[in-house]
Amino acid sequence: MAYLNDHYLKLKAGYLFPEIARRVRVFCEQNPAAAKRLIRCGIGDVTEPLPPASVAAMHQAVEEMAKRDTFRGYGPEQGYDFLRRAIAQNDYRARGMEVADDEIFVSDGSKCDTGNILDVLGSQNRIAISDPVYPVYVDANVMTGHTGEADESGAYAGLVYLPCTPENGFIPVPPKEVVDVIYLCSPNNPTGAAATRAQLEAWVNYAQANKSIVLFDAAYEAYITSQSIPHSIYEIPGARECAIEFRSCSKNGGFTGVRCAFSVVPRTLMAATRRGEPTPLHPLWLRRMSTKFNGVSYIVQRGAEALYSPAGKEQVRALIDHYLGNSKVLVSGAKAAGLTVYGGVHAPYIWVQAPSGLSSWQAFDKILHEANVVITPGSGFGSKGEGYFRISAFNSRANAEEVARRLQALKW
Ligand code: MLT
């Protein structure tokens, strides 16, 4: 008989968002009237149409694919040069960071990248992960066998959890012990907190001192509203020697359904072989991508490239401003409802303390049943998320305003 991967059996429940979708489906079947007024602020999925510059570029690319002379089959697994250049130039070099075109690896999502990167990292690494955090980091490590079993709070043996609390502004501080790989996400999903330069410097210093690697998820960097907060880990001197960055077109260009993202693996980034020899990770990641991935479609990459055109940049800015406007509406609505609210300033997420000692799932049920609004229970992001919930600002303005009203009408 064939054996399965036992590590999957350690996973606590279904993946968070399908589990929420399942519960909401049951609620809607049982409450058809409430289902009609349901507003979804659960998964952080964009609602507004694609930037017109991107749509035009994809139409044009479809036309090219329709003609023998311009048709293209398999593309380079690591991304077309035109997109790698646009990314490296606009996101990095134009902002004073040294990133070469061939250090950019185009992919179909940061979710995949933050999980897949484990392929090129050793199984003996001690892994540190913020709590609460985007659940993919933990689940991917469980699947790969980097953890023991979970305890009752859902915390897995073998992982080093970095608590994110109101006391530390939801930004983890480097631990006293040595860890080899650290996942950081700023602006943070789910808390909306954004790390300052000093906080990132502390992590880069720690990583340099311990020869660790920081896996920096910057999928929400476009939402940063303060000049002083870094958009990239590479704004910190020394990060090219100790950090991999993940970025996505999902939350800025509205590509959640189109699929395009990228990772940055500097050629200067080393990890140790079993015998302790420092060896660059870049060739390993290239090898991994070209073996297990066939690249993002040409059409989509042209659409992503157009996000960097002058018109595309303006249209992306308008999208971000729209969602940040929703964040403001939701923050003030939740505050007016008497709730304790965090985030929502540099991120499309509002992190709310569930009142009256409610657990995260109790708050989820109450808000679903009484306000007919879907939120995300904080405990789904880790044990330190218990007692909180997340409201996503990805919605129409009218829906954000309606959610703000309904929160205030709730009797807590
Ligand atoms: C979220 O809601 O946390 C995100 O949409 C998940 C994702 O980007 O995969």
Side-chain angles (χ1 to χ4, degrees), residues 266-349:
R267 286 187 172 277
T268 40
L269 179 77
M270 304 281 170
T273 63
R274 199 172 283 281
R275 286 206 293 262
E277 296 139 341
T279 305
L281 272 182
H282 184 281
L284 273 65
W285 187 232
L286 177 60
R287 185 71 168 82
R288 191 260 167 224
M289 294 294 270
S290 44
T291 303
K292 292 196 183 180
F293 187 54
N294 252 338
V296 174
S297 84
Y298 173 69
I299 298 161
V300 165
Q301 291 193 59
R302 282 295 185 198
E305 180 194 26
L307 298 175
Y308 294 97
S309 66
K313 284 180 185 170
E314 255 178 48
Q315 293 157 8
V316 165
R317 194 62 252 160
L319 278 176
I320 305 284
D321 288 345
H322 165 77
Y323 294 125
L324 280 174
N326 287 351
S327 291
K328 257 196 191 144
V329 168
L330 290 164
V331 166
S332 56
K335 281 188 177 160
L339 297 165
T340 305
V341 181
Y342 305 94
V345 177
H346 304 297
Y349 296 127

Side-chain angles (χ1 to χ4, degrees), residues 21-301:
R22 189 189 65 74
R23 291 188 187 216
V24 171
R25 215 168 25 247
V26 171
F27 171 79
C28 290
E29 279 161 16
Q30 291 169 353
N31 303 279
K36 289 210 179 87
R37 64 192 293 273
L38 193 77
I39 302 181
R40 294 173 194 273
C41 296
I43 190 165
D45 194 3
V46 293
T47 55
E48 305 309 297
L50 293 169
S54 198
V55 173
M58 287 195 275
H59 278 150
Q60 166 68 33
V62 169
E63 289 305 319
E64 288 177 46
M65 296 296 264
K67 298 188 188 84
R68 174 168 290 279
D69 303 359
T70 46
F71 171 79
R72 295 178 189 234
Y74 291 126
E77 295 87 356
Q78 61 279 24
Y80 280 101
D81 286 346
F82 63 79
L83 180 56
R84 301 174 92 191
R85 192 179 321 116
I87 293 168
Q89 180 57 34
N90 288 279
D91 282 339
Y92 296 101
R93 292 195 292 265
R95 295 175 172 200
M97 286 167 273
E98 180 204 340
V99 169
D101 298 355
D102 69 358
E103 293 175 326
I104 305 288
F105 294 84
V106 177
S107 77
D108 59 348
S110 292
K111 182 189 204 174
C112 325
D113 284 342
T114 53
N116 291 337
I117 196 71
L118 297 177
D119 278 9
V120 298
L121 296 172
S123 54
Q124 62 278 64
N125 286 316
R126 248 176 109 55
I127 313 254
I129 303 186
S130 315
D131 180 9
V133 86
Y134 182 41
V136 172
Y137 313 155
V138 171
D139 286 3
N141 274 282
V142 175
M143 291 171 173
T144 317
H146 291 171
T147 74
E149 298 290 338
D151 66 16
E152 268 165 23
S153 73
Y156 288 91
L159 289 181
V160 175
Y161 287 95
L162 306 168
C164 298
T165 61
E167 288 69 41
N168 60 22
F170 298 101
I171 300 294
V173 288
K176 300 256 178 308
E177 65 198 286
V178 174
V179 294
D180 306 303
V181 175
I182 305 118
Y183 283 85
L184 294 181
C185 175
S186 176
N188 188 263
N189 177 11
T191 65
T196 62
R197 181 171 299 277
Q199 285 167 325
L200 291 182
E201 277 168 1
W203 276 109
V204 168
N205 291 342
Y206 173 92
Q208 283 184 315
N210 295 295
K211 298 193 166 49
S212 326
I213 291 181
V214 174
L215 302 178
F216 190 72
D217 185 348
Y220 297 93
E221 60 77 32
Y223 289 80
I224 291 173
T225 52
S226 155
Q227 296 277 346
S228 62
I229 291 180
H231 287 247
S232 165
I233 190 86
Y234 302 119
E235 289 182 44
I236 311 300
R240 280 184 56 82
E241 281 70 50
C242 66
I244 293 175
E245 183 159 291
F246 303 98
R247 289 220 196 166
S248 166
C249 304
S250 285
K251 310 297 160 90
N252 51 11
F255 270 40
T256 55
V258 178
R259 310 307 309 155
C260 194
F262 62 91
S263 55
V264 186
V265 181
R267 286 187 172 277
T268 40
L269 179 77
M270 304 281 170
T273 63
R274 199 172 283 281
R275 286 206 293 262
E277 296 139 341
T279 305
L281 272 182
H282 184 281
L284 273 65
W285 187 232
L286 177 60
R287 185 71 168 82
R288 191 260 167 224
M289 294 294 270
S290 44
T291 303
K292 292 196 183 180
F293 187 54
N294 252 338
V296 174
S297 84
Y298 173 69
I299 298 161
V300 165
Q301 291 193 59

